[in-house]
Amino acid sequence: MAGNSFGELFKVTTFGESHGKALGVTIDGMPAGINFDLDFIQSEMNRRRPGGNTLGTARNEGDEIEVISGVFEGVTTGCPITLIIKNTSQKSHDYSQIKDVYRPGHADYTYEAKFNVRDYRGGGRSSGRETSMRVAAGAVAKLLLNQVGIKIKAGTIQIGDIKAENIDFNHDFNNELSCPDEDISTKMVELIKKAKDDLDSIGGVIECHVNGMIAGLGDPCFDKLDALLAHAILSIGACKGFEIGKGFESAKLYGSQNNDQMKMVNGEITFLSNNAGGILGGISNGNEIVFRAAFKPTPSIYKEQETINKNHEDVTIAIKGRHDPCIVPRAVVVVEAMTALVLADRYLVWRAYDAR
Amino acid sequence: MAGNSFGELFKVTTFGESHGKALGVTIDGMPAGINFDLDFIQSEMNRRRPGGNTLGTARNEGDEIEVISGVFEGVTTGCPITLIIKNTSQKSHDYSQIKDVYRPGHADYTYEAKFNVRDYRGGGRSSGRETSMRVAAGAVAKLLLNQVGIKIKAGTIQIGDIKAENIDFNHDFNNELSCPDEDISTKMVELIKKAKDDLDSIGGVIECHVNGMIAGLGDPCFDKLDALLAHAILSIGACKGFEIGKGFESAKLYGSQNNDQMKMVNGEITFLSNNAGGILGGISNGNEIVFRAAFKPTPSIYKEQETINKNHEDVTIAIKGRHDPCIVPRAVVVVEAMTALVLADRYLVWRAYDAR
Amino acid sequence: MAGNSFGELFKVTTFGESHGKALGVTIDGMPAGINFDLDFIQSEMNRRRPGGNTLGTARNEGDEIEVISGVFEGVTTGCPITLIIKNTSQKSHDYSQIKDVYRPGHADYTYEAKFNVRDYRGGGRSSGRETSMRVAAGAVAKLLLNQVGIKIKAGTIQIGDIKAENIDFNHDFNNELSCPDEDISTKMVELIKKAKDDLDSIGGVIECHVNGMIAGLGDPCFDKLDALLAHAILSIGACKGFEIGKGFESAKLYGSQNNDQMKMVNGEITFLSNNAGGILGGISNGNEIVFRAAFKPTPSIYKEQETINKNHEDVTIAIKGRHDPCIVPRAVVVVEAMTALVLADRYLVWRAYDAR
Amino acid sequence: MAGNSFGELFKVTTFGESHGKALGVTIDGMPAGINFDLDFIQSEMNRRRPGGNTLGTARNEGDEIEVISGVFEGVTTGCPITLIIKNTSQKSHDYSQIKDVYRPGHADYTYEAKFNVRDYRGGGRSSGRETSMRVAAGAVAKLLLNQVGIKIKAGTIQIGDIKAENIDFNHDFNNELSCPDEDISTKMVELIKKAKDDLDSIGGVIECHVNGMIAGLGDPCFDKLDALLAHAILSIGACKGFEIGKGFESAKLYGSQNNDQMKMVNGEITFLSNNAGGILGGISNGNEIVFRAAFKPTPSIYKEQETINKNHEDVTIAIKGRHDPCIVPRAVVVVEAMTALVLADRYLVWRAYDAR
């Protein structure tokens, strides 16, 4: 209700502020008896961590997972799994610049409008650092999904106005953007560097593919699988748009173009296209799930901007500190994680109601 | 969990199938003592009803609201409000065409994959007729929002590849598409008629504006206001995409372009632009909320298509009966209704936690 | 949140007032493909119905179940099942006696304190007639539980200070109190008749037994099976107490007396006693579940009582109309129904997490 | 769903095992801007801590609260508050006695039936040590309730068959049982010591009083305030019974005896008795709330008992280690805490719907 939980059967609650003692997550609903592969979870954390590539900042947050509960002798116990990462670099920062000023494009103003108090240290709870715990929970969800062969893979397909042309997800991505088009990725990297040089930032688009789907996940009416995915993905701080399958393009099409016709091919039920993106009537059809998410440029820029302060006076701000010129590369694993949370949840719902 | 409820404090549960006895909705969480304006609710129903314009079908579903509970002497009592509409035209239909065949683009196949049984009469629960109850509930939500001055207005801004150019929402829309651009709307109507003549259907885009917002609605992390809106809007059957503010366009922008800078103007806190669409960090900033939703062409078309049947044999189908060549005009009020459900819910959450 | 829903996976929402158009229930979460035995459901309704025995009132409410949705060709579809009963005897009543007066022991005063409006017709939503929908939902839950052999049986074991001595539940109860002790039941009936003759009412105790339990139902910490049962049972209007196993008696015992020791008997895991009432640490141990619920005397009595009215003036009231001198006999099936709702819910949760 | 959360608007999630790294609680839904009185919270922890009195064990668990998140500059921020206590005495224990044996009266067997794995270290998640986090959360809830003058006080009124005679809660309790009857309390202490000397344990009853209630808390039908209290209290490990007001005694009464008649006294709405225990129709009437909870003797006893092991062989066990001969004195603050959680939750629900 207060917004820090997600999921119904695979229920995740996150806590912690950017510059508080620690960030953490409690997963209530992981079935018992599953091998808890901590190395995998840590490797997922490392994919999100800043300092992991040449594009981000010099920060090295560490983000080492500590297991507090729910795991015994290497397996899950059915009891709540709590994972935390400590904020090691809790040195005394200078917050005088942002303490009383609302940074444009940030949640500073709205948090204060809502709560009347604000933890201004590094954005507090509204910091992108909050997504670390989504990645941790998503990694646990992937452990569950792995058991039934569901595989999630996201990649960068657009930075600014540069779009990947060859969007083939069936190979390893060998670039720091996780872009499926290796050639185009170098141009994307240049654009990010240019934005950085301009004291600015740039947005982008992430595409996500899910394979090995069970037909029948998702629930009618309000808990349609794509609606839950949209909820999950839009809940990532900088996300401004979501589309499934053909998405906004489908608005331009005729029904005869957009419908995925069916045929038996080698004895298998086969869709002749996948404009739906793997979901029909809110329920997975067994096809690959494909969706895209638009991310705005990170609002923290070094350029001077107009804004107001707590006393409602006009001021200008050129945000100091270390910040990414483009959040997209680090958001790839966050998109996967949120997808995993939705699918793990609906997989358990399916077990409750529909598994035969 | 099973998907037929939406909202936490303003909680809506819908039930009923397209060709069953009745469709209904229970609203659990409408505060007591509010005048229950049944005429307004019925007028909202009429906006969705088929046969209300020249574009749709000849069906006239009636959709007359019957109040079962929760209202006494003209005001809400704080107890659950149940509204139903009877399916008056329950005459004996001929379902032989669709009984055993999976219509392309419909939920026939996925419902059967999930439930192993299927109410094939008019699509059963997966029918667009289910949205009537969203409209009924949304109308009740609007009664609550009216009390605090929150106003919701949606309109058609694109049909196929024809886009409105003048998107001004501050006037009455005098065309059957609820399109803000009266001139372009006639071209849109022509395109819909063309699709109909071609035995085909066509998609479109709806934009929604909310004014009179309280700053502070929405909740951090997973219940961001835009995430909840995305969930709500994507849960409408034919919706394939959602974007808030600049949406997918923001992916192309630099931070210095996308950030909404602030200034005191005539003593009022003012955003110099509204690229965010009225929501920052998931919390309303008091600005107009603006979002768009993409709708696919209705999958029911008269053209012949390839598909399979229950016995997993290849067949063709040219869907008979009455169906809309474009669902968009009728979906306008459904988009408003889902928006109202989200805002009524978060308004109550705000009262619980944040009202001062 | 607003209180009219119960359960998480087997989720029930009830609506309707005593003298409104109809009462109804929506069950969201009944798995698909289960034979919908309407005769059984109606027979459960008849167990609760007034006028079914010599002890109650002359009212004959009918309570005929109408199926609105969720059932097709005799089986459940996985979509919400809505059942209603119409209030046939909606003739014009004279409410002048209770319109402005708070009946002692009733919810009249508290509903007005809470909602500031009150549907005074027959108690509105706070009427015992609301339990009819619990029985309807409970009957559907029993259809699910029957599939795995879980059987629920409740009976009257105390009326006033008369207690059943022979509490054997393994036979049919052939008296209108559903009392396991046929001999004592006649004394109980006499006491109820005496209360009636005295223009008064009398309380009692119901005991409930559940057999065929799966070991492992219920969830740690806050969703202990006995906690959920207590919640369910105390939510029945007139219930004032709940105890599981030895209950309040266990407070007097030593650990060595109260612990249920274990032994292998004929190769079966066997508890040497059942003081726990079939639940340990909140999780079913496979033993018979046994609990008791205390019911207060119905507050509606013909005797004159002191109270106040809406204008906060002292008045007296001798409640007219038809009311039961003892609610206990009709509450037996309500206790069973609430038990069934809890068990159906936790059975589905167990399928999601624990079934192997 | 998996049972480790409680409450809807004031939502508490606990985690951690008896002998794991730490126990913790996340409170999602504490309003912002409330002074976070850590000394008070710690003092509540100390009331539950073992070793605090002569009756318990020599263990000194410390239970020092560490604040992880949600508090900034001494006030709550509206973001999730996470509190933990570290398990300092994590020295290497010898678990060989209980590793493979099901202790009678414990959850060992049922956890294994449910999860197929079991953290046997000190009972893992099923340990009474889990209640420490209820106390921490309850203390935070009390900070909220204090703001509106709601006061909760529980005390021991029965140990074994010794009952307090003078149950006056309007004075400080000066005995280590928190018994309102100072004279009888010495006899109770003797009985506990006798049980200890006999290598046995003993049960008891706790009564709880709530003053300063707002009329109108609690919600109709399934979320009746007494039903929520019953749920909360029965969820405490050793609790076997709950009764509100006259409770089981009311089953013996006539309506004319049990109804609380009303009168205007000095211009105040006054109930002439409080047999209802402050709740009518599930909604608080403003009167003192009074309820009782029965606790079984702690199942851990030094006496030899029969049981079985994992291999389904008969064995005997005389449980070693340090355990309380009576859990009741330490459960007093746990009962208060669970009461506070229910009331804080329903107070927020009331703010959302009903506050005028």
Side-chain angles (χ1 to χ4, degrees), chain A residues 2-111:
Chain A
N4 298 287
S5 293
F6 190 78
E8 298 190 303
L9 279 169
F10 193 89
K11 183 166 217 158
V12 160
T13 303
T14 66
F15 53 88
E17 292 87 30
S18 175
H19 287 58
K21 274 201 175 170
L23 291 104
V25 62
T26 298
I27 301 150
D28 196 21
M30 179 70 167
I34 294 175
N35 284 322
F36 194 76
D37 185 345
L38 186 55
D39 289 343
F40 169 71
I41 296 168
Q42 188 62 54
S43 71
E44 291 283 283
M45 296 301 288
N46 296 348
R47 290 175 66 196
R48 195 208 71 94
R49 204 181 56 191
N53 59 47
T54 63
L55 303 170
T57 69
R59 279 176 301 171
N60 195 324
E61 290 172 355
D63 292 0
E64 195 183 337
I65 285 288
E66 194 178 332
V67 183
I68 301 297
S69 65
V71 180
F72 182 58
E73 296 180 342
V75 300
T76 59
T77 62
C79 292
I81 298 168
T82 295
L83 309 174
I84 65 168
I85 59 172
K86 295 212 173 99
N87 286 321
T88 48
S89 63
Q90 251 186 303
K91 59 181 175 207
S92 67
H93 287 274
D94 177 8
Y95 297 113
S96 56
Q97 192 197 24
I98 59 167
K99 191 175 181 299
D100 297 325
V101 173
Y102 306 135
R103 291 169 295 166
H106 271 281
D108 298 345
Y109 172 70
T110 51
Y111 266 60

Side-chain angles (χ1 to χ4, degrees), chain A residues 257-272:
Chain A
Q257 297 170 308
N258 189 66
N259 282 345
D260 299 316
Q261 300 184 46
M262 299 177 80
K263 214 180 174 67
M264 296 307 297
V265 177
N266 300 326
E268 295 280 309
I269 295 170
T270 305
F271 290 89
L272 301 178

Side-chain angles (χ1 to χ4, degrees), chain A residues 97-176:
Chain A
Q97 192 197 24
I98 59 167
K99 191 175 181 299
D100 297 325
V101 173
Y102 306 135
R103 291 169 295 166
H106 271 281
D108 298 345
Y109 172 70
T110 51
Y111 266 60
E112 199 142 313
K114 183 178 185 65
F115 296 123
N116 215 20
V117 302
R118 179 163 62 96
D119 181 345
Y120 48 73
R121 301 167 303 167
R125 182 79 182 137
S126 74
S127 163
R129 186 151 169 67
E130 162 265 320
T131 59
S132 61
M133 290 300 104
R134 300 174 183 237
V135 173
V140 176
K142 284 179 178 179
L143 294 179
L144 177 60
L145 295 171
N146 279 345
Q147 298 212 322
V148 285
I150 295 175
K151 298 285 180 194
I152 300 164
K153 185 176 191 177
T156 301
I157 62 158
Q158 184 181 330
I159 295 291
D161 52 8
I162 302 176
K163 298 183 183 186
E165 286 160 15
N166 179 8
I167 303 185
D168 172 10
F169 269 64
N170 295 313
H171 65 100
D172 289 340
F173 301 161
N174 295 309
N175 57 80
E176 49 193 353

